[in-house]
Amino acid sequence: RSTSGAEPESARARGAGAERGEHREGERGAAGIRCVAYNNQSNRLAVSRTDGTVEIYNLSANYFQEKFFPGHESRATEALCWAEGQRLFSAGLNGEIMEYDLQALNIKYAMDAFGGPIWSMAASPSGSQLLVGCEDGSVKLFQITPDKIQFERNFDRQKSRILSLSWHPSGTHIAAGSIDYISVFDVKSGSAVHKMIVDRQYMGVSKRKCIVWGVAFLSDGTIISVDSAGKVQFWDSATGTLVKSHLIANADVQSIAVADQEDSFVVGTAEGTVFHFQLVPVTSNSSEKQWVRTKPFQHHTHDVRTVAHSPTALISGGTDTHLVFRPLMEKVQVKNYDAALRKITFPHRCLISCSKKRQLLLFQFAHHLELWRLGSTVATGKNGDTLPLSKNADHLLHLKTKGPENIICSCISPCGSWIAYSTVSRFFLYRLNYEHDNISLKRVSKMPAFLRSALQILFSEDSTKLFVASNQGALHIVQLSGGSFKHLHAFQPQSGTVEAMCLLAVSPDGNWLAASGTSAGVHVYNVKQLKLHCTVPAYNFPVTAMAIAPNTNNLVIAHSDQQVFEYSIPDKQYTDWSRTVQKQGFHHLWLQRDTPITHISFHPKRPMHILLHDAYMFCIIDKSLPLPNDKTLLYNPFPPTNESDVVRRRTAHAFKISKIYKPLLFMDLLDERTLVAVERPLDDIIAQLPPPIKKKKFGT
């Protein structure tokens, strides 16, 4: 999701003269969620957004977004599904079916289905066949081969577009939802065996068309449909008759997902409500069961375009950009709604980079970059004061990309003279020149093709080297001098793997480069000798952030389960502090945090301090102090009452946590006195979305 910079409003004095530049960040065009697809085998969730971006969340790794495929202007994804175990497919309004390479993080191929825009897609229960529903009323069957998909045949063409599809669990029949009717097909013959007409009645008026947004085919032959008239309906597929109808909304019911056991299903509406239906006995001792609507959940402000049902949770996503996991309380151990409810709003990676020397911030959007110079203050004050800005922030540059591809990653050099960014097909490097208040930009031409599809870009501290992680697993080192570049070396992936490297960290002295992939351990390379130095022992959870400390060259690594490790690169082993932490364990409240650490940095004059943040807290870990145990207060929400209280808190335990800034997208030290924080108020995101459906309130 894109980010941008808006003007800082104030600077606040904190602690020992540290300035706070409050950068309130205005996000333009955050992409809403269009589809979700849950994979039971791997416990992963694929999510597609309205800009064509596809994200993979590992639910077993604390719901971490471990992979993503950048968006594209011409790819409006309307359907997403897993097939044949771990293979992921999408289809959309450009009429193409695509398969994703989950190792190299690129698109394997795109195939035209020749039926116009594709509105729906479903994999067969065995996972070996793929079905798509098209604009021209055709339902097409594809065979999934080891390396591609192959067209098999068309089913009987219908009169209107096929908006929803569902297989019977036996794989013998399918249900297809269109405008005003539902068709049942025999898979073997491809012919329609039933056509059920849906009631157009909507709020007492029967003029408008009724769009069947979703269908679900159950083992007993029941078909559940959801439609634009606000109804959830149950049909008997054997006779083609309506069995029961529930009017649940005054707006479209847009999505449906059924549990594997078929004892529960979830639907999402255009009013932002999610309804849960459960199959319960008619009476306490009866064997006969009926579908009952249980409590509605309102975790979205706008349309719930898509839902999924995992064994333990109801999953929903929609126009408001939120991905919500609502636990089924009878299926989980935690008996606390708030502790267990997850709402993912922000990307699990950093989209902002910083030039400390020139006090610049580079913000990455989907299709452009913005460069801002921070404001400053000459005023002083006591702790907690808000100080007036003597110089406002400057918007220096708006760099727009050409073509339909989203930006994958970007970076500004520490000296502020270079900007690099990558899309799937091209790599761009710009040289910046500053003259008084003017800035000039010169693009470096003839960048090598192998740098494209970079997943991470990083400059050395002295801005003389550029490190590029390609999606094929190679790490490139580029020498920068004047306005030119020279490719120095490429570290190739370990033999037999094409694991994409997603995170990079370089030591301040420029001697060491650490790289982390989506599953393997962290590799550390010697930049001077151009060879692999060591590999940090593999850990079960993905890396979310890492950084190398000055002087000691200790590598600090944060994982998605909230564990933090410190590894000595020169000694090739974990540090004593890290071993002590693992022995004692982190505070239980620290481990329960539900957003990943996305950035780690260090104080140049305080070698015992580690600075890190997630979306909801900023933390300084002081390694010289004892670790808190579970009986200790980890975070004190109340301001200190007097000077002795400040001192007592400062020396109580190693974790100093601030929750002043939130949601926090980026935080770093500019120098030993200045900290920059970029926050993204949720209200601003909601304010930029189209208005939700207006509801008439009783008595108005």
Side-chain angles (χ1 to χ4, degrees):
R1 275 140 298 172
S2 52
T3 61
S4 85
E7 215 164 271
E9 296 160 354
S10 63
R12 181 182 293 177
R14 308 201 66 75
E19 296 169 7
R20 176 199 181 204
E22 190 176 84
H23 228 70
R24 285 174 71 82
E25 201 233 350
E27 183 165 48
R28 297 172 203 157
I33 293 172
R34 183 60 199 92
C35 318
V36 296
Y38 175 69
N39 185 326
N40 211 350
Q41 282 176 287
S42 63
N43 198 26
R44 281 175 169 81
L45 185 78
V47 175
S48 74
R49 295 187 178 269
T50 48
D51 66 352
T53 303
V54 171
E55 302 160 348
I56 313 284
Y57 291 85
N58 184 345
L59 307 194
S60 304
N62 206 5
Y63 299 75
F64 180 60
Q65 187 199 107
E66 62 181 5
K67 297 174 184 180
F68 78 99
F69 298 86
H72 192 285
E73 276 180 350
S74 71
R75 286 204 306 262
T77 306
E78 283 292 321
L80 194 63
C81 76
W82 296 92
E84 201 70 78
Q86 307 297 311
R87 290 174 68 177
L88 181 65
F89 296 89
S90 76
L93 301 185
N94 61 358
E96 290 181 337
I97 302 168
M98 293 192 304
E99 183 175 358
Y100 297 86
D101 186 325
L102 299 174
Q103 253 53 55
L105 297 191
N106 57 18
I107 289 162
K108 270 190 189 173
Y109 58 85
M111 179 185 277
D112 197 326
F114 297 106
I118 299 171
W119 290 96
S120 51
M121 178 169 60
S124 65
S126 66
S128 61
Q129 291 173 306
L130 204 60
L131 208 57
V132 295
C134 305
E135 173 76 20
D136 66 0
S138 62
V139 175
K140 295 171 184 286
L141 185 67
F142 290 82
Q143 196 68 35
I144 299 172
T145 61
D147 54 355
K148 219 164 181 185
I149 55 171
Q150 204 169 339
F151 175 72
E152 205 163 296
R153 68 168 187 278
N154 283 314
F155 286 12
D156 287 356
R157 183 177 287 201
Q158 303 302 296
K159 285 180 183 168
S160 64
R161 63 177 69 143
I162 309 294
L163 290 155
S164 48
L165 287 168
S166 179
W167 289 78
H168 185 271
S170 68
T172 57
H173 290 80
I174 63 151
S178 297
I179 297 169
D180 291 336
Y181 63 89
I182 300 161
S183 307
V184 180
F185 293 92
D186 180 289
V187 173
K188 209 169 184 180
S189 66
S191 55
V193 292
H194 282 297
K195 192 171 179 178
M196 286 105 73
I197 307 296
V198 182
D199 182 11
R200 288 185 180 185
Q201 201 74 23
Y202 176 83
M203 308 276 288
V205 180
S206 58
K207 288 177 185 171
R208 50 188 276 160
K209 291 175 178 176
C210 185
I211 302 163
V212 181
W213 286 119
V215 286
F217 214 146
L218 306 186
S219 306
D220 65 1
T222 301
I223 294 172
I224 310 169
S225 68
V226 298
D227 60 43
S228 58
K231 299 190 299 293
V232 174
Q233 295 188 311
F234 297 84
W235 306 82
D236 183 335
S237 66
T239 58
T241 52
L242 178 65
V243 178
K244 195 165 187 190
S245 186
H246 293 260
L247 181 65
I248 63 163
N250 291 330
D252 297 46
V253 184
Q254 295 180 311
S255 46
I256 178 169
V258 181
D260 284 350
Q261 287 78 30
E262 297 187 355
D263 57 354
S264 141
F265 71 87
V266 56
V267 298
T269 75
E271 296 170 323
T273 314
V274 170
F275 290 97
H276 186 205
F277 283 77
Q278 287 174 290
L279 194 59
V280 295
V282 176
T283 57
S284 55
N285 53 5
S286 160
S287 60
E288 191 190 342
K289 293 188 171 182
Q290 64 179 359
W291 286 103
V292 173
R293 189 184 90 192
T294 54
K295 195 181 169 199
F297 305 121
Q298 188 83 39
H299 298 303
H300 296 273
T301 55
H302 290 63
D303 304 42
V304 180
R305 295 294 301 269
T306 178
V307 289
H309 199 312
S310 81
T312 57
L314 310 177
I315 303 163
S316 54
T319 310
D320 66 2
T321 76
H322 298 312
L323 180 62
V324 176
F325 298 85
R326 173 118 203 157
L328 297 163
M329 299 318 289
E330 65 275 14
K331 302 275 176 76
V332 292
Q333 302 306 308
V334 183
K335 296 299 178 198
N336 175 339
Y337 274 117
D338 295 330
L341 181 78
R342 285 288 174 110
K343 189 181 265 198
I344 297 175
T345 307
F346 299 104
H348 289 170
R349 57 199 173 90
C350 202
L351 296 174
I352 299 162
S353 57
C354 174
S355 161
K356 296 181 180 183
K357 190 179 170 188
R358 288 191 178 268
Q359 309 246 316
L360 305 173
L361 287 182
L362 182 72
F363 294 92
Q364 179 183 323
F365 293 77
H367 292 283
H368 74 274
L369 301 171
E370 286 195 10
L371 185 64
W372 286 79
R373 184 189 288 126
L374 289 167
S376 59
T377 181
V378 290
T380 56
K382 61 182 188 297
N383 189 25
D385 287 354
T386 298
L387 307 175
L389 282 177
S390 53
K391 189 168 179 240
N392 283 334
D394 290 329
H395 184 195
L396 301 180
L397 185 68
H398 179 106
L399 185 59
K400 193 167 178 2
T401 62
K402 288 174 182 167
E405 296 174 335
N406 282 21
I407 297 172
I408 307 173
C409 59
S410 60
C411 195
I412 185 167
S413 63
C415 69
S417 298
W418 299 93
I419 286 177
Y421 75 90
S422 177
T423 66
V424 167
S425 60
R426 297 177 80 183
F427 186 92
F428 297 86
L429 180 64
Y430 289 89
R431 173 84 171 162
L432 279 70
N433 283 311
Y434 302 87
E435 286 175 25
H436 308 298
D437 286 341
N438 295 328
I439 182 168
S440 63
L441 194 68
K442 190 184 175 197
R443 186 173 152 204
V444 179
S445 59
K446 297 181 180 152
M447 294 306 291
F450 53 72
L451 293 178
R452 68 183 183 205
S453 285
L455 294 173
Q456 184 80 12
I457 304 168
L458 200 58
F459 289 89
S460 60
E461 195 90 351
D462 62 4
S463 302
T464 61
K465 288 189 180 72
L466 173 66
F467 304 99
V468 180
S470 85
N471 69 339
Q472 299 296 325
L475 291 175
H476 300 281
I477 303 178
V478 176
Q479 179 83 41
L480 303 172
S481 60
S484 63
F485 73 93
K486 180 187 170 192
H487 184 254
L488 287 184
H489 188 72
F491 293 115
Q492 293 304 332
Q494 310 301 306
S495 57
T497 65
V498 284
E499 163 136 76
M501 291 292 160
C502 300
L503 284 173
L504 296 178
V506 64
S507 62
D509 61 16
N511 292 341
W512 307 105
L513 175 69
S516 153
T518 49
S519 59
V522 178
H523 303 297
V524 180
Y525 298 91
N526 186 318
V527 176
K528 283 193 171 164
Q529 295 174 12
L530 299 176
K531 65 176 189 183
L532 180 66
H533 174 69
C534 65
T535 299
V536 180
Y539 185 65
N540 294 341
F541 289 85
V543 177
T544 67
M546 59 182 185
I548 300 172
N551 305 322
T552 60
N553 282 325
N554 288 339
L555 172 65
V556 178
I557 307 168
H559 292 271
S560 67
D561 63 345
Q562 309 299 0
Q563 294 290 336
V564 178
F565 295 92
E566 186 182 51
Y567 186 86
S568 168
I569 293 174
D571 299 341
K572 299 187 183 180
Q573 63 177 13
Y574 289 111
T575 63
D576 292 342
W577 178 81
S578 194
R579 290 173 200 275
T580 306
V581 170
Q582 289 309 308
K583 207 170 169 182
Q584 184 180 326
F586 283 93
H587 196 284
H588 70 282
L589 292 177
W590 176 267
L591 297 176
Q592 281 173 16
R593 290 171 19 257
D594 63 3
T595 60
I597 290 164
T598 51
H599 192 262
I600 300 171
S601 55
F602 306 96
H603 195 290
K605 296 283 172 70
R606 296 175 188 161
M608 297 306 279
H609 286 192
I610 301 170
L611 287 71
L612 37 82
H613 76 83
D614 64 17
Y616 296 100
M617 66 101 213
F618 163 61
C619 176
I620 298 173
I621 300 176
D622 186 339
K623 296 186 289 179
S624 64
L625 292 175
L627 292 165
N629 59 36
D630 278 355
K631 290 175 185 159
T632 318
L633 191 67
L634 178 70
Y635 164 70
N636 193 334
F638 302 107
T641 49
N642 52 42
E643 206 58 41
S644 64
D645 192 12
V646 172
V647 174
R648 189 168 48 77
R649 288 193 195 184
R650 206 171 276 166
T651 54
H653 60 71
F655 286 76
K656 312 287 178 289
I657 294 173
S658 164
K659 295 189 179 180
I660 289 174
Y661 321 98
K662 54 186 170 186
L664 189 57
L665 290 195
F666 177 79
M667 184 171 258
D668 202 359
L669 273 179
L670 291 177
D671 54 47
E672 55 193 79
R673 287 171 48 103
T674 315
L675 191 73
V676 60
V678 181
E679 50 187 354
R680 181 72 195 95
L682 280 171
D683 295 348
D684 295 0
I685 298 177
I686 301 303
Q688 289 174 20
L689 296 172
I693 288 173
K694 288 188 170 63
K695 295 179 194 169
K696 187 167 169 59
K697 295 222 166 60
F698 180 73
T700 60

